[in-house]
Each structure stands twice: as C-alpha cells, then as structure tokens.
Amino acid sequence: MQAGILLSPMLFSDRHSLVNISEDSVSVLGTVGALGFVFFLFLSGVKMDLSLTLKSGKKAISIGLLTVVVPLIFCMTTIKNLHPEGNEFSNKSFFLAVTYSGTSFPVIHSLLSELKILNSELGRLGLSAALIGDIVTLVLTVFSLWVKTGIEKGIEEALMDVGLALLFIVIVVFVLRPVMKWMVKRTPEAGQIKDMCFFIVVLAFMMSPRFTKLFRVYFLFGPFILGLAVPDGPPLGSALVEKLDPIISGLFLPIFATTCGLRFDPSYFKDSTKFAYHQAIGAVVTLLIKFVVSLLVPLLCKMPTRDSFALAFIMISKGIVEMGSYSIMNDSRVISEDIFTHMTIVIILVASIVPILVKKLYDPSRKYLCFQKRTIMNSKLNQELRLISCVHVPSNVSSIINLFNASCLIRDSSIALDVLHLVKLSGRATPLFIAHHKQKKTQPNKSYSENVVLAFEQFERDNREAVSVNVFTAVSPPNLMYEDICNLAMDRLTSFIILPFHRRWYIDGSIESEDQTIRSLNFDILERAPCSIGILVEGRRNLKGSNVRDPLASNNSSSYNIAVIFMGGQDDREALALAKRISQDKNVSLTVIHFKAANSLGPILTENDRMLDDAMLSDIKQSKCLTYIEKQVKDGPETSNYLRSIVEDYQLIIVGRRYKRENPQTSGLQEWCEFQEIGIIGDLLSSADFIGKYTLLIVQQQQQRTT
C-alpha cells in the first residue's frame, strides 16, 4: 500500500519524474491485483465456518450485531442532517453507510494473527463477534442494492434480483456443496485430496464471477459464497489454503494493495464536493460510534476495562477488504475520486494506529503471572494431583500411558489427568477448543481425536479410582498453541504439564522424526507456564511392551527402576518430589543419585536453596523405601562417565532442567549441550552416546514471575 502511494500522483505527477509508469503497466498490475483480491475473498470464505455462529455466546452476538446496526443508524442520521437532498438509496448514502459501519472478518482475523492473540480469550471473542458482524454487513449490503434497484428500475426488477440471488445460493448449497462433500468422503482418512478434485474446485471458483453476473449478484459475492460452501478443514479446505494462500498472500495481494495506493491522489482532497465532505464526516462519526458501542457492551458484561478498550479497537479495524472494495467501486464509478481519497486516508490511519494500541492494551501472558505455587512440592501426597499431558502424534499416547503405568497408580495418591490433543489449524480461520467429556454440546461433526479419546478411556477404566481422565482437543496455529495449554492449566488448577520432546527415535537409536515446531512450542511453554513442567523424552524402547497395563497383574509384575539425578536447586527438588510421588507403590524401586562436588568450591547455591536441599535430602536419607547414592565428582566428564555406567539399570530417569546453572559437577559439558530446553544433564542423557532402554523426564519447577 505504501509503495503504491509513493508511486502515485502524490509524488510522481510530473512527466519529468524519475519514475514513469505507463497506463498499460497500471492496467496489467490492476488485473493481476484484482485476481489476487478475488482469490483472497474466496480463501476467506473457505476458512470461515458459519456453523460457529450458532455456537456464539450472547456476548459475541450482541457485539457483532450492535457494532454494525447502531453506527449505521447514527451514520444515516448524520448524513441526512448534513445532506437532506435526495433519497438515501438513490444517492448511495445507505450503501456507503453500510461500508462505513460494517465489520470484516478477514481483516480482524489478520490483525489477531499478526498480534499473536488469535487463541486468547479476547481473540476468540473478537473472532466470534467479527463473524456475526460480517454476516450482518453482507445482508445489509445486499439489501441496500436490492432497494436501490427497486427505486431505480421498479419492484419487478428488484424481485427478479432477489429470486436469482436465492437461486444462486440454492445451487451453491444444495448442488456444489454436496459434490465437494462427496469428494471429501472419497478421500482416505488422513489422506490428501486428489488433484483432480482440487482443480475442479479451483475451476468452479474461476467461473464464479461469470455465474454471479448471470444471477445478478455482485461479482465479489460469488467467490466468497462459493468459498463458504467448501467444507472447511482437511482434506479439501486445508489443501486449498495450503496451496493457494502462500502465492495469494505473498504475491498477488501485495500487488493489489500497491494498485490501490496508485489510485490515491491527494489533490482530490482539496477539491472535494460537498457530498464527499458529508460522507467523510459520516464515516468518522460511524467510526467513533462503533468504538463506543464496542466498548460499552463488554463493559456492561463486566469485562476488564483494558480488555474492553482493546476489543473496541479490534472491532473498528480496517484493512485490505475495505481498501479493495472502495478501489473497485472507484473503478466502477460507484463512488467518486474525492470520496475514495477520504476513505483511503481513514483506512490508512485506522490500520496504522489500531495494532499499536491493541498491543499496548492487551497482553494475554499477564494472566499467567500466578502468585499461587502450583508445583508438585506444594501438593500433598494424599491429595489429587492435577496434570496435563500434551499429545501431537499417536506415539505420544503410548509414551504417556506407559509413563503412568510405570508409576503404578494407586488410590491413595490419585491423579486427575487432562489430555490435550494439539492439532495444527489448517483450512479454517477460527481456532477450536473441544472438551470431549461435553461431546454432545461442543463437538463438531468430525472428530479430530477419536483414537486418542478411546485410548485414554481404556486407560481410565484399567486404573479405576486411581486416575480420572478428561480429553481435550485444541485446533490452532502451531505458534499460538501455548495459549491453549496455559489457559487449560489456569482453568484446571494444574500443577504439572507433560510435554513431548520434539525428537523421536527408532528402537535401534536412529532418529525417527524431528519437529522444530514442537521444539518452539516447548520453549514458549517453559517461559510462560503457570505451573511446573516436564519434557518427556521417549526412549529407544517403550517402558512396557503394551500401551495399557492390566491392573490385576500388578502384584506379579517386576519392579520398575526409577532414578533421580540430584545436584541441588529448585528444579532438582521438583524432580525429586515427582519421583517420591510416583514411587509410593511397592513395585517401584526409586534410586536418588546425589552428585556432590569433590573440590571445596561446591555448587553455587543461595543459602535458601541449600537449606531446602538439605531438608529434602534429610527425608530421603531416612527413608527405607528407596536407595540413596552419594557420588563425589570433580567435573562434567566424570559425571558423564558415571552416568554412562549406570543408566541401563533404569527404565525411567528424572532430572531437573537447571537452565543456565552450571556448577563443578557439570563443568565442561555446557559447550556440548545441543538442546537448551532439557538442560545439560537432560541433553547428555538423550545424546547418541547414551543408548539404553530408559525414558527421560526433564522437570522445571514453576517460574515465579511478577512482571
């Protein structure tokens, strides 16, 4: 947009200018850009899920409806007082007022994605309200066009337009959508849509502007309505978005924005007609009233003041949709050059200011500043322990179940386990959060986590009264998944989150897969989580041969050997507390290996840390239910050699993360540390030099943050 303005007559109007742009060049750019804009509207329709309007709460419906209707009334009143001549429909005042007061779902979605608050509570509310507002805007726009036709050409022509538009919608909904659903059904589960089906849908999109002309529908509505008919999500919706969105967003849409800027000529601002000035005043009044309504409704619903202001700014945001609409109306002579100039200035100002103000007002991480201690150390042994386990791929399910089976769950120390299945958001704009224990109320037609639900339901039945399981699914962008995890941890009063490591191995020790997206997510959780965290590194072999343990065979099963590596500090204390918690059963053998510095320097710990370490180790030394080993080492290589000699004796090893804490016991190992998120010892034990049957759990105690 800025590039287009710089190349516009605003700066380069002289024929001796350094930049010369021929009319043919502008025409070609305009054609390519317009194609990109129509593609953008089609993909926006593909990403939208209209079924969510039925599930929107009263707050979202109220905000979405009132922020369009109330500003529209004030706008019409203002323009009527300023410009009483003519009919509101004949002089396009009503149509323009709808564009001023309207809400654009794609623009608000782009803003929330850019600010990385799509998954936040405010982001979800804003998306729901924007979806309602966009539908209301679309209905009012079509209504204004029909009324204008009725006034200018007669009621019969208006009724003909209504009938043809309804026929077009019927064909799309009852002919094209069933055909696309049939394509989806013929696609194997978790498979990709056939190329032929993909090209048929793209061809239908390319033909939609021509069909809309035959059915007397505004040509921009055709691709959008067709996009709404496409089944969202995988395999068809996601294939369209993944293949088309990069080139549309990265190439065609920037070209279109540039051509919009090329149309901007500030000379029309000085030579505006009285009607254009009145329209500009009406647009500004509409914007102010829309802001006030967007602010008052959340405040009446007792939303925090800062959040209400942030939502108000979100709801008045303007962007590429409004800019594109005014540009096309300008080319079609629906609006004059001076009105286009005024609206361009308004859009640029709003689009520049709103993101800055929203970012300043709303920080979703504030609610994670938990002043309560949500750690395993602060949980009583006979009290239910609340955990969250995250699942990305099927192998994570067996790893988590095997981990809990190895801990030999007992009734006296029960666990409330919340399983969160994380699914990449693809082919849709709105994130989903599904609570499967409330399946009848919240689950959509397709199940994202059927196998995960079945596996953990069986696990719960096999460990009745020792564990209770609730399964959730979060469908969201990978870079924002931490919001879902942290929000669930806050809502469920969780003490411990288990995250899968981003790398998995085959049985022979070779790397099976590595996902840097999961690694980035783990870093985000380590920085923001409102409780303690554990990263589960899957071993070369499972803890047990099967996913689910028969509880009747527990008395005859061999003992599970669990080791805790202790060097001191809060993370090590949390790891030890977890080990004590899961080793209460007689079938679990716990060994605490305490590494002490052989030289006089000793670990660099605060006096408070040293006292807490001594108190915890005192209980360990007095216990007869576990083995305590004290090992003095001079440096990191000696620690490494000792660990290499004993790791094969254990099925599970628990260590503290000890981030950025190096002491004599680990000196010389820091420079070889590949994965900072699991700490020096965790990285050492997960390296190729340590090949064993054990699984590794790296623990970080809750980080107390005050800012």
Side-chain angles (χ1 to χ4, degrees):
M1 182 70 183
Q2 287 89 341
I5 292 174
L6 291 175
L7 295 173
S8 70
M10 176 179 176
L11 294 181
F12 299 107
S13 56
D14 195 311
R15 63 187 182 89
H16 300 295
S17 167
L18 294 175
V19 178
N20 291 313
I21 303 176
S22 66
E23 291 185 4
D24 291 339
S25 299
V26 174
S27 177
V28 171
L29 282 176
T31 303
V32 174
L35 176 64
F37 184 62
V38 175
F39 256 113
F40 172 74
L41 293 178
F42 170 68
L43 291 178
S44 297
V46 172
K47 295 176 185 178
M48 290 174 66
D49 184 4
L50 290 182
S51 65
L52 294 178
T53 58
L54 303 175
K55 302 171 186 176
S56 300
K58 294 180 181 178
K59 188 190 300 183
I61 294 174
S62 300
I63 295 171
L65 183 62
L66 294 176
T67 53
V68 176
V69 175
V70 175
L72 176 62
I73 295 172
F74 274 85
C75 181
M76 289 304 302
T77 304
T78 302
I79 293 175
K80 186 65 177 176
N81 291 331
L82 293 173
H83 193 86
E85 301 88 10
N87 183 279
E88 290 81 2
F89 292 93
S90 298
N91 63 16
K92 307 183 186 70
S93 290
F94 185 83
F95 175 76
L96 290 173
V98 173
T99 65
Y100 305 153
S101 63
T103 301
S104 173
F105 179 86
V107 169
I108 290 179
H109 177 269
S110 299
L111 172 66
L112 297 174
S113 298
E114 179 187 343
L115 297 176
K116 297 184 178 180
I117 56 174
L118 197 65
N119 284 24
S120 65
E121 186 178 352
L122 184 72
R124 292 178 187 275
L125 176 60
L127 277 182
S128 299
L131 185 59
I132 300 294
D134 206 340
I135 294 171
V136 174
T137 303
L138 181 63
V139 171
L140 289 173
T141 303
V142 174
F143 172 76
S144 67
L145 293 174
W146 287 341
V147 173
K148 182 176 179 294
T149 301
I151 293 173
E152 294 179 351
K153 299 181 181 180
I155 190 68
E156 292 182 359
E157 286 293 319
L159 291 176
M160 180 65 73
D161 285 357
V162 173
L164 289 173
L166 292 176
L167 179 61
F168 175 75
I169 294 173
V170 167
I171 292 174
V172 170
V173 174
F174 295 102
V175 178
L176 297 182
R177 183 171 172 82
V179 169
M180 289 184 281
K181 283 189 172 182
W182 176 79
M183 294 177 183
V184 171
K185 287 182 180 179
R186 287 178 59 86
T187 304
E189 187 176 355
Q192 293 185 348
I193 197 79
K194 292 182 179 178
D195 289 341
M196 180 62 69
C197 299
F198 175 83
F199 292 129
I200 289 173
V201 175
V202 173
L203 180 63
F205 153 73
M206 298 294 287
M207 296 171 63
S208 61
R210 175 61 60 182
F211 280 114
T212 54
K213 187 175 181 180
L214 293 175
F215 287 95
R216 298 187 185 180
V217 177
Y218 188 48
F219 80 98
L220 291 180
F221 292 163
F224 182 69
I225 293 172
L226 180 63
L228 290 174
V230 176
D232 64 293
L236 183 55
S238 59
L240 288 168
V241 173
E242 288 173 2
K243 293 181 180 180
L244 297 177
D245 197 49
I247 190 170
I248 299 303
S249 300
L251 178 61
F252 288 102
L253 210 56
I255 291 175
F256 178 71
T258 302
T259 59
C260 292
L262 285 170
R263 294 177 174 88
F264 178 70
D265 188 352
S267 63
Y268 286 103
F269 187 76
K270 299 177 182 178
D271 303 327
S272 295
T273 62
K274 186 182 293 185
F275 180 73
Y277 275 125
H278 293 163
Q279 290 295 326
I281 294 171
V284 173
V285 169
T286 305
L287 201 65
L288 294 174
I289 297 300
K290 190 179 182 74
F291 178 82
V292 172
V293 174
S294 304
L295 176 64
L296 289 179
V297 176
L299 287 175
L300 292 174
C301 296
K302 299 181 179 180
M303 185 182 288
T305 304
R306 288 176 67 93
D307 293 1
S308 299
F309 270 98
L311 180 62
F313 282 114
I314 289 171
M315 295 306 296
I316 67 168
S317 58
K318 304 289 182 184
I320 189 66
V321 172
E322 290 81 8
M323 194 70 251
S325 300
Y326 289 128
S327 295
I328 291 172
M329 285 190 286
N330 181 36
D331 292 344
S332 306
R333 298 295 184 266
V334 176
I335 61 174
S336 58
E337 294 281 358
D338 47 1
I339 293 178
F340 174 75
T341 301
H342 284 97
M343 293 304 103
T344 300
I345 293 172
V346 171
I347 291 171
I348 291 174
L349 289 175
V350 172
S352 302
I353 294 171
V354 163
I356 299 171
L357 294 175
V358 174
K359 193 171 184 179
K360 187 73 174 176
L361 287 167
Y362 186 70
D363 180 11
S365 64
R366 287 201 315 266
K367 60 179 176 287
Y368 307 144
L369 300 178
C370 184
F371 296 99
Q372 283 185 316
K373 289 188 176 181
R374 294 184 182 176
T375 66
I376 297 175
M377 281 187 64
N378 292 95
S379 302
K380 298 179 181 178
L381 286 176
N382 58 354
Q383 186 181 22
E384 184 181 61
L385 182 63
R386 308 194 69 86
L387 307 177
I388 291 177
S389 292
C390 297
V391 172
H392 295 280
V393 293
S395 65
N396 296 153
V397 176
S398 58
S399 298
I400 292 167
I401 290 178
N402 288 331
L403 173 66
F404 286 109
N405 281 339
S407 66
C408 298
L409 301 169
I410 58 176
R411 296 181 185 178
D412 295 336
S413 184
S414 61
I415 290 175
L417 177 63
D418 294 324
V419 179
L420 183 58
H421 185 202
L422 297 163
V423 180
K424 179 184 176 182
L425 182 69
S426 180
R428 56 182 300 130
T430 310
L432 284 179
F433 192 85
I434 306 166
H436 292 279
H437 58 284
K438 300 178 181 177
Q439 184 172 346
K440 293 182 180 179
K441 294 183 180 180
T442 61
Q443 184 152 346
N445 294 330
K446 52 181 168 292
S447 173
Y448 287 91
S449 311
E450 183 178 355
N451 294 332
V452 177
V453 173
L454 292 175
F456 280 100
E457 283 180 349
Q458 181 63 44
F459 171 67
E460 183 179 23
R461 285 193 293 269
D462 291 343
N463 295 277
R464 191 174 288 113
E465 297 185 11
V467 62
S468 61
V469 179
N470 286 315
V471 181
F472 302 85
T473 297
V475 185
S476 56
N479 64 326
L480 299 178
M481 284 179 177
Y482 67 86
E483 283 276 355
D484 295 304
I485 300 171
C486 293
N487 284 333
L488 183 62
M490 291 291 292
D491 294 340
R492 305 287 290 180
L493 302 178
T494 302
S495 297
F496 194 67
I497 299 173
I498 300 175
L499 304 171
F501 192 52
H502 70 280
R503 179 181 284 183
R504 299 194 305 276
W505 291 267
Y506 286 114
I507 292 176
D508 62 0
S510 60
I511 296 175
E512 176 187 353
S513 65
E514 188 169 9
D515 192 334
Q516 292 299 322
T517 303
I518 297 177
R519 188 184 185 195
S520 298
L521 174 63
N522 290 347
F523 270 114
D524 289 334
I525 298 298
L526 287 168
E527 292 174 4
R528 295 175 171 86
C531 61
S532 296
I533 306 155
I535 296 181
L536 183 64
V537 182
E538 298 178 20
R540 274 60 172 179
R541 299 179 184 179
N542 290 332
L543 289 173
K544 301 184 71 176
S546 61
N547 288 352
V548 182
R549 175 175 61 89
D550 183 3
L552 298 176
S554 59
N555 292 331
N556 299 323
S557 63
S558 60
S559 65
Y560 295 95
N561 298 320
I562 299 175
V564 178
I565 310 301
F566 190 90
M567 295 183 187
Q570 62 178 16
D571 291 347
D572 283 6
R573 292 194 297 271
E574 188 74 358
L576 189 52
L578 174 63
K580 287 173 63 178
R581 179 94 189 198
I582 66 177
S583 64
Q584 295 181 74
D585 191 273
K586 63 181 180 180
N587 293 316
V588 176
S589 175
L590 175 62
T591 301
V592 178
I593 304 172
H594 182 197
F595 284 102
K596 299 186 72 174
N599 53 43
S600 58
L601 293 176
I604 304 172
L605 295 172
T606 64
E607 187 63 31
N608 184 53
D609 271 336
R610 190 174 291 108
M611 289 175 60
L612 292 172
D613 289 346
D614 292 341
M616 180 161 259
L617 289 174
S618 177
D619 294 338
I620 295 296
K621 294 174 183 178
Q622 295 174 8
S623 176
K624 298 180 180 179
C625 302
L626 52 82
T627 304
Y628 174 78
I629 299 174
E630 188 174 292
K631 177 67 177 177
Q632 291 195 345
V633 291
K634 292 184 295 184
D635 51 23
E638 188 174 344
T639 301
S640 175
N641 291 333
Y642 179 78
L643 288 174
R644 188 180 289 107
S645 67
I646 57 98
V647 289
E648 292 191 8
D649 297 335
Y650 303 99
Q651 285 81 46
L652 174 65
I653 300 177
I654 305 175
V655 301
R657 184 190 180 204
R658 298 173 52 80
Y659 182 55
K660 291 184 177 179
R661 297 189 68 171
E662 187 175 6
N663 52 23
Q665 299 96 306
T666 57
S667 63
L669 298 178
Q670 175 65 45
E671 52 266 33
W672 301 100
C673 184
E674 182 180 2
F675 303 115
Q676 297 291 333
E677 66 270 29
I678 56 177
I680 297 174
I681 298 298
D683 182 82
L684 178 69
L685 292 171
S686 64
S687 66
D689 295 336
F690 286 73
I691 298 178
K693 302 177 183 179
Y694 58 89
T695 291
L696 189 60
L697 184 63
I698 296 90
V699 176
Q700 174 182 284
Q701 193 179 71
Q702 176 193 13
Q703 304 294 301
Q704 295 294 326
R705 295 183 297 272
T706 57
T707 58

